[in-house]
Amino acid sequence: MKIKASFFIVFMINKALFAQKTDTNNFKSDSLKQEQLIEIVISASRVNESLLSSPISIEQLKNKDAQLLGTPNFFDALNYLKEVQVITPSLGFKVLNTRGFANTTNVRFAQLIDGVDNQAPHIGAPIANAMGVSDLDIQKVEIVSGTASALYGMNAVNGLANFITKNPFNTEGVSFRQVTGVNHISSPDARTPHLFSESQLRVAKILSPQWAFKLNTSFIKGYDWVANDNLDLGANLNISSGLTGNNNPALDPVNGYGNESSNRRTLNLNGKNYIVARTGYSEQDVVDYHLQNMKGDLGIFYRPKNNIEISYTYRGALIDNVYQRSNRFQLSNYILQQHALQFQSNKFQFKTYLTTENTGQSYNLRSAAENIDKAFKTDNDWFKDYSTTFNNFIKNNTPIAEAHHSARLAADAGRFQPNTAAFNEKLKELSEINNWDIGAALRVKSLLSHTEGVVYLDKFFKNAIQHQLSLQAGFDYRNYIIVPDGNYFINPVESNKNLVYGKLGGFIQSSKVIWNNKLRLNFTIRTDKADFFDWKFNPRLSAVYSPSENMHLRMSYQSGYRFPSIFEGFSNINSGGVKRVGGLRVMSDGIFENSWLRSSIDAFQTAVNKSVNTEGLSQKKYSNI
């Protein structure tokens, strides 16, 4: 059994810069019950409304409630909300999901901060909370369980989380939070316990009746969990020869790299077929598990008159961490930045923001391990040496398993050894080569620009207000711009120009209260158009029946449609035994029609080897298949 233990201490200081008035009438015995019944949310319909009578399911967690759960941070506390799943690929990287399948890069779930998308552009999803909100600045989070495409479009198929921050006009002061802990306690591999530290500072000040600002900083430092799963992914490849477990010459541990399908061959040795893989390296040989995340934001707020607010927010993050998708990556000096400008009033809202991404000195762990092996000796030379040594030992009547072990030792002679100067120098060299066939670098520069607006049409018509009719319309326009690096991304149309991928969308929503305020009907229709796709429609219908103040019955229907992220649409990389090509026709035309599944190839090889090794059939029988 593997034991992962942690211990955390949380220390907070909150110093108010002004005296807050307290209404003692609010402290009644039933005040908590009253507050729960009139909870207000905005994410379900983009208007203030009661949580219980909202047209769709929505969960809410306030900062003060999260503190009572005893988790190290607010993000961890979300795991206690109904229908919310938190996927944890690493200590500094956690992924949210509600309904629908997901993976460690959940492009089907949108994560917003005050309505602003928090994703890394080329990934198409947020890197956890790496450029997110600090615990000190979170007022609450609202989570839509299930598709929210009707109002939010792209990337909101599984759900949406909207982190709502504290406004400096309402929450002024200086706050400091320190979390200190220890992990790797009683580690199964006798690893030394490591300290974990998270320091946060929030400063908010009202400068005048019209102006206010807030500043947040956060610094996280720790040592990540070690990925050391030794489950053999090729356990049955040599089963016909009785070579299993550590005797399997095609051994492919989950967290071993450089011994995948692309690093193995079928060798005919002494009349039998064996699938043999190169040795590769463990993940801990090619990664630094020390994690560090520095992030911060600065907001300037202006209120020229009642019900109008204009704000500018800058967010930035510097990330050193382990990141996981189809491969695992060492993120090093990874920089995300965002500039957001928002205008809000009771009649319309407008926001525009720009997110930039630079992957810095990050690199692919699998490619690093694979190409360190190849830098020492080419595949052709390695397998030749392996075969020669094996045959020599067999001539001396050496047992098969022992002959394979001896052949590997001979072929690996002179190999780069982990934690040596030569190994570290080669790893550094490969991490700077932006070609995964011979190197490991991840060098992506990208940006996302987004503009959207919402108009509350009912505010312009007195009759609409009198008849309890709500009517609003909105639009959004988004552009992804990628600088082709020739490895991770290419421009399939114009190779010397940036890759641009745009999307335009809009929605109309109306709601009406009838039957003496007991039945609320809501209808939303949204349409979106992305490059390479036709217009798509996402409707939402709901009815909320409230026979009493404490009882609400909801029925709803909605659909969601998701356009592919940049990576899904345009990637063009060597991804370990396969060439990963984006799914858009402009990238993959003719490829899928003439391809085989990796599992089919492995099954075919296993069947051939079984026939050759146990049934005495000639391999020539299969040469034309």
Side-chain angles (χ1 to χ4, degrees):
M1 177 183 294
K2 297 181 179 179
I3 302 174
K4 294 181 178 179
S6 302
F7 177 74
F8 293 96
I9 298 176
V10 181
F11 176 70
M12 295 182 64
I13 298 177
N14 196 324
K15 173 66 176 177
L17 296 181
F18 64 99
Q20 294 182 340
K21 295 181 180 179
T22 302
D23 185 356
T24 56
N25 292 328
N26 288 334
F27 292 92
K28 298 178 181 179
S29 60
D30 61 346
S31 61
L32 179 60
K33 179 179 178 181
Q34 289 178 350
E35 182 182 356
Q36 289 176 337
L37 290 176
I38 60 172
E39 287 285 5
I40 301 299
V41 294
I42 62 173
S43 301
S45 302
R46 294 200 177 195
V47 294
N48 291 336
E49 60 187 339
S50 168
L51 171 65
L52 295 178
S53 62
S54 64
I56 55 176
S57 299
I58 187 167
E59 296 294 320
Q60 180 178 242
L61 180 65
K62 292 184 176 181
N63 197 323
K64 62 181 181 180
D65 297 325
Q67 293 176 18
L68 298 177
L69 294 174
T71 57
N73 54 58
F74 187 94
F75 214 81
D76 286 338
L78 297 178
N79 202 34
Y80 290 92
L81 288 180
K82 184 177 65 178
E83 295 190 271
V84 176
Q85 175 191 18
V86 179
I87 305 168
T88 309
S90 74
L91 183 62
F93 180 55
K94 299 179 181 181
V95 181
L96 295 178
N97 189 49
T98 51
R99 300 174 186 169
F101 57 89
N103 55 27
T104 55
T105 302
N106 194 0
V107 295
R108 302 170 184 85
F109 188 93
Q111 189 171 306
L112 312 180
I113 300 176
D114 294 325
V116 175
D117 200 332
N118 191 227
Q119 69 171 269
H122 102 265
I123 293 173
I127 302 183
N129 199 33
M131 194 180 66
V133 191
S134 76
D135 287 28
L136 294 176
D137 197 39
I138 295 177
Q139 176 182 329
K140 63 178 179 178
V141 65
E142 297 176 359
I143 296 184
V144 177
S145 302
T147 180
S149 296
L151 284 185
Y152 296 95
M154 187 177 183
N155 290 33
V157 175
N158 284 12
L160 172 142
N162 189 12
F163 290 81
I164 299 171
T165 67
K166 298 175 182 177
N167 191 297
F169 281 109
N170 304 326
T171 309
E172 187 183 15
V174 177
S175 302
F176 177 76
R177 182 176 189 267
Q178 176 65 44
V179 177
T180 301
V182 181
N183 66 345
H184 296 283
I185 300 174
S186 302
S187 176
D189 56 0
R191 194 170 297 273
T192 303
H194 285 77
L195 284 175
F196 174 88
S197 174
E198 180 177 8
S199 305
Q200 297 179 352
L201 173 68
R202 180 182 187 269
V203 179
K205 175 67 176 175
I206 299 175
L207 302 175
S208 72
Q210 290 79 35
W211 291 92
F213 83 94
K214 67 177 179 179
L215 171 69
N216 291 282
T217 62
S218 176
F219 179 68
I220 299 173
K221 193 170 185 178
Y223 195 83
D224 208 350
W225 304 117
V226 176
N228 57 357
D229 189 343
N230 291 315
L231 176 68
D232 187 1
L233 299 176
N236 296 323
L237 292 177
N238 287 290
I239 196 169
S240 63
S241 302
L243 299 174
T244 58
N246 290 331
N247 291 329
N248 178 17
L251 186 68
D252 179 15
V254 171
N255 292 118
Y257 310 131
N259 41 29
E260 287 87 2
S261 57
S262 58
N263 312 116
R264 61 185 182 231
R265 292 182 182 179
T266 299
L267 303 180
N268 188 269
L269 305 171
N270 197 34
K272 286 192 175 183
N273 281 0
Y274 301 97
I275 299 178
V276 179
R278 294 202 64 167
T279 304
Y281 294 92
S282 297
E283 176 176 300
Q284 54 192 314
D285 296 332
V286 292
V287 71
D288 181 359
Y289 284 117
H290 288 91
L291 67 90
Q292 184 171 284
N293 182 197
M294 292 185 288
K295 64 181 179 181
D297 61 84
L298 172 65
I300 301 173
F301 298 77
Y302 174 56
R303 289 181 174 177
K305 58 176 66 176
N306 290 336
N307 300 320
I308 294 179
E309 181 174 285
I310 303 171
S311 64
Y312 164 78
T313 302
Y314 167 80
R315 295 187 183 278
L318 177 63
I319 307 165
D320 292 278
N321 198 357
V322 179
Y323 168 68
Q324 179 175 326
R325 53 190 321 161
S326 56
N327 293 315
R328 283 169 65 84
F329 294 84
Q330 174 80 67
L331 299 186
S332 179
N333 294 323
Y334 189 114
I335 299 175
L336 285 172
Q337 298 183 81
Q338 186 177 77
H339 304 267
L341 181 65
Q342 299 191 60
F343 176 93
Q344 299 183 63
S345 73
N346 61 346
K347 292 185 177 180
F348 60 91
Q349 296 184 3
F350 174 84
K351 66 182 62 154
T352 182
Y353 51 90
L354 175 71
T355 305
T356 64
E357 174 186 29
N358 187 332
T359 59
Q361 283 74 53
S362 305
Y363 61 90
N364 182 345
L365 303 186
R366 182 203 59 78
S367 296
E370 176 182 61
N371 289 315
I372 288 176
D373 251 353
K374 290 183 177 181
F376 142 69
K377 186 181 290 186
T378 66
D379 285 347
N380 288 337
D381 289 342
W382 192 90
F383 285 107
K384 180 181 178 181
D385 291 345
Y386 189 102
S387 301
T388 300
T389 305
F390 179 90
N391 290 329
N392 288 338
F393 272 89
I394 288 297
K395 289 178 182 178
N396 295 324
N397 297 319
T398 304
I400 296 295
E402 185 178 337
H404 276 289
H405 285 297
S406 298
R408 184 172 299 278
L409 287 173
D412 280 345
R415 183 170 177 259
F416 290 104
Q417 295 302 312
N419 300 318
T420 63
F423 180 93
N424 294 336
E425 183 179 343
K426 179 56 66 174
L427 176 59
K428 182 178 180 181
E429 176 188 329
L430 294 176
S431 68
E432 298 293 335
I433 299 175
N434 189 34
N435 180 343
W436 290 359
D437 293 327
I438 58 174
L442 175 65
R443 298 292 183 269
V444 176
K445 294 181 180 180
S446 65
L447 64 85
L448 178 159
S449 63
H450 181 97
T451 300
E452 68 175 63
V454 178
V455 180
Y456 302 101
L457 298 172
D458 54 281
K459 301 296 184 181
F460 294 91
F461 304 101
K462 292 183 179 180
N463 289 336
I465 299 175
Q466 292 174 354
H467 292 88
Q468 293 185 296
L469 174 66
S470 174
L471 181 63
Q472 61 189 111
F475 79 95
D476 64 79
Y477 177 70
R478 174 174 294 188
N479 250 340
Y480 294 86
I481 301 176
I482 307 291
V483 179
D485 65 313
N487 175 60
Y488 208 77
F489 289 108
I490 63 171
N491 188 325
V493 180
E494 298 178 280
S495 59
N496 60 339
K497 292 187 177 181
N498 289 344
L499 180 63
V500 179
Y501 179 48
K503 190 216 71 128
L504 173 67
F507 72 91
I508 296 177
Q509 177 176 255
S510 66
S511 65
K512 172 74 171 148
V513 179
I514 59 175
W515 285 1
N516 295 322
N517 296 330
K518 294 184 180 298
L519 180 63
R520 179 186 177 190
L521 302 176
N522 182 284
F523 171 73
T524 307
I525 182 68
R526 181 183 183 90
T527 181
D528 292 281
K529 171 71 173 70
D531 293 342
F532 307 102
F533 291 88
D534 297 328
W535 287 95
K536 304 297 179 182
F537 291 89
N538 291 314
R540 185 177 81 180
L541 301 169
S542 69
V544 180
Y545 178 58
S546 304
S548 68
E549 183 181 357
N550 300 329
M551 181 180 296
H552 304 270
L553 303 175
R554 179 193 300 116
M555 294 180 293
S556 65
Y557 165 82
Q558 54 189 323
S559 68
Y561 187 92
R562 185 177 71 84
F563 295 109
S565 66
I566 281 284
F567 178 79
E568 293 169 315
F570 295 97
S571 58
N572 183 67
I573 56 173
N574 173 357
S575 192
V578 295
K579 183 75 170 181
R580 184 157 187 168
V581 179
L584 293 176
R585 275 293 179 182
V586 69
M587 294 291 300
S588 61
D589 191 24
I591 294 178
F592 295 129
E593 293 83 356
N594 298 284
S595 61
W596 296 87
L597 295 175
R598 179 74 250 177
S599 58
S600 299
I601 296 173
D602 289 346
F604 177 78
Q605 288 179 331
T606 302
V608 170
N609 291 341
K610 179 181 179 182
S611 297
V612 172
N613 295 340
T614 64
E615 300 172 11
L617 296 182
S618 171
Q619 189 165 333
K620 294 180 179 179
K621 178 181 175 121
Y622 300 94
S623 61
N624 294 323
I625 296 180

